[in-house]
Amino acid sequence: MGKIGTRALMTLAMAAMLYAIPHRAAAQYDFCNSRNTSYKHGERLKFKVYYNMGFIWIYAGDATFTTTSKDLGGQKVFYIAGYGKTASSYEWFYKVRDMYETYVDQETMLPVRFIRDVNEGGLKFKHDVTFDHSKRNAVSAGKDYQIPACTQDVLSAIYFARNIDYSRYHPGDRIPFDMFLDDKVYSLYIKYLGKERIETKRGTFNAIKIAPLLIDGTIFSGGEKMTVWVSDDKNHIPLRVNSPITVGSIKVDLMEYDNLRNPFDALVSLNN
């Protein structure tokens, strides 16, 4: 599989929001004026990652996301953690252990703190960011950065996006938001593509289809080549992420889920 496939593991599992091209297309309604109706304390989502460099899909790794309600200095937050690792059969060649953590204010749904702990093939680094949205300020490695209103981190953005009311949009509409990562503010968007029924490794689901616009020059090809499907119900949980990369392609499928906030109405049938 090599470094390209393993490096893509956590990014794809988290819906690949990092690599969108800066763009402004509409007012930031959903990312500034929404409330949480899609997830709750105790939710757990587990994904399997598959890599393809020919005609065979190969199991490459796992990604797990958990949500816990906590008290952070008197502030009620959701502690959301995303953990990605390579399959044991690949670890002799290129071992990945990536951990993403965000603390999200339960009322505003904005991140309070974001931690990114990366361990990929011997490359190790850690980013720790704190946010003060009242001052539109982020602090990273002792430095202050100005941020726009309603700025998300890479993990909180995914859970915030789960609360978008897609019924307000038409295929082709773009839903913009700002994200702070690696000491930069990225102006991004999610493109709504419509609805369809899909069959994954786990089963058959009614889904909402969305896509980010990718930056050329990363491990991903430029253009709107990545597709993400989320459940067409109030949970809006990711069901599948599919994308070509520099060499081959990657597919991420939801395999396990626990403690969903709402009935899983998007489920049509499960595979044995």
Side-chain angles (χ1 to χ4, degrees):
M1 179 178 64
K3 295 183 179 180
I4 292 174
T6 50
R7 279 184 169 179
L9 183 137
M10 276 301 290
T11 306
L12 281 165
M14 296 198 306
M17 290 184 176
L18 169 59
Y19 296 103
I21 292 177
H23 186 86
R24 263 296 168 268
Q28 257 192 343
Y29 178 83
D30 283 295
F31 277 80
C32 286
N33 298 280
S34 186
R35 61 188 181 89
N36 177 35
T37 59
S38 66
Y39 63 89
K40 67 176 183 178
H41 167 80
E43 182 189 82
R44 183 182 72 94
L45 307 175
K46 184 174 182 179
F47 301 83
K48 286 190 178 295
V49 183
Y50 299 89
Y51 175 74
N52 186 302
M53 198 170 60
F55 300 100
I56 301 175
W57 286 101
I58 302 171
Y59 166 57
D62 299 285
T64 302
F65 298 84
T66 57
T67 302
T68 308
S69 182
K70 288 190 174 184
D71 185 284
L72 185 66
Q75 186 176 12
K76 291 184 178 180
V77 299
F78 283 116
Y79 168 67
I80 303 169
Y83 178 65
K85 64 176 183 178
T86 41
S88 58
S89 57
Y90 290 106
E91 289 186 352
W92 65 273
F93 179 67
Y94 194 79
K95 183 177 180 179
V96 171
R97 291 288 186 275
D98 287 352
M99 186 73 171
Y100 290 69
E101 303 167 89
T102 187
Y103 296 81
V104 177
D105 184 283
Q106 291 189 17
E107 183 177 349
T108 66
M109 295 176 61
L110 296 175
V112 178
R113 185 182 180 190
F114 171 68
I115 304 169
R116 183 184 179 201
D117 194 348
V118 171
N119 182 353
E120 299 177 349
L123 171 67
K124 297 181 180 181
F125 64 86
K126 186 172 184 177
H127 291 157
D128 193 334
V129 182
T130 56
F131 296 90
D132 186 338
H133 294 279
S134 65
K135 298 179 180 179
R136 297 193 179 182
N137 175 260
V139 178
S140 173
K143 296 182 179 180
D144 289 354
Y145 298 87
Q146 290 300 301
I147 58 174
C150 308
T151 297
Q152 300 286 332
D153 62 55
V154 67
L155 183 52
S156 70
I158 297 167
Y159 282 75
F160 208 120
R162 286 176 57 182
N163 291 286
I164 292 175
D165 180 5
Y166 290 99
S167 67
R168 298 178 57 246
Y169 298 95
H170 302 285
D173 285 351
R174 296 168 178 175
I175 308 164
F177 67 99
D178 292 307
M179 184 179 71
F180 184 81
L181 188 69
D182 294 333
D183 300 339
K184 295 180 181 179
V185 174
Y186 292 84
S187 295
L188 312 178
Y189 70 80
I190 300 166
K191 187 173 184 178
Y192 174 63
L193 299 179
K195 297 184 178 184
E196 65 181 32
R197 180 168 291 188
I198 63 165
E199 185 174 350
T200 72
K201 295 280 187 180
R202 189 67 181 95
T204 302
F205 305 89
N206 292 320
I208 295 166
K209 188 178 180 181
I210 57 178
L213 185 62
L214 305 183
I215 290 177
D216 195 13
T218 68
I219 57 175
F220 304 104
S221 300
E224 297 177 358
K225 298 179 181 179
M226 175 176 290
T227 309
V228 182
W229 290 264
V230 300
S231 62
D232 186 12
D233 56 24
K234 292 183 179 180
N235 299 297
H236 289 165
I237 58 176
L239 301 169
R240 166 168 285 179
V241 181
N242 202 2
S243 178
I245 56 176
T246 307
V247 179
S249 58
I250 291 285
K251 176 168 60 181
V252 181
D253 275 2
L254 174 72
M255 299 303 293
E256 299 178 18
Y257 51 89
D258 295 302
N259 296 316
L260 300 184
R261 176 166 181 164
N262 304 293
F264 200 5
D265 294 334
L267 174 64
V268 177
S269 63
L270 292 175
N271 296 331
N272 295 327

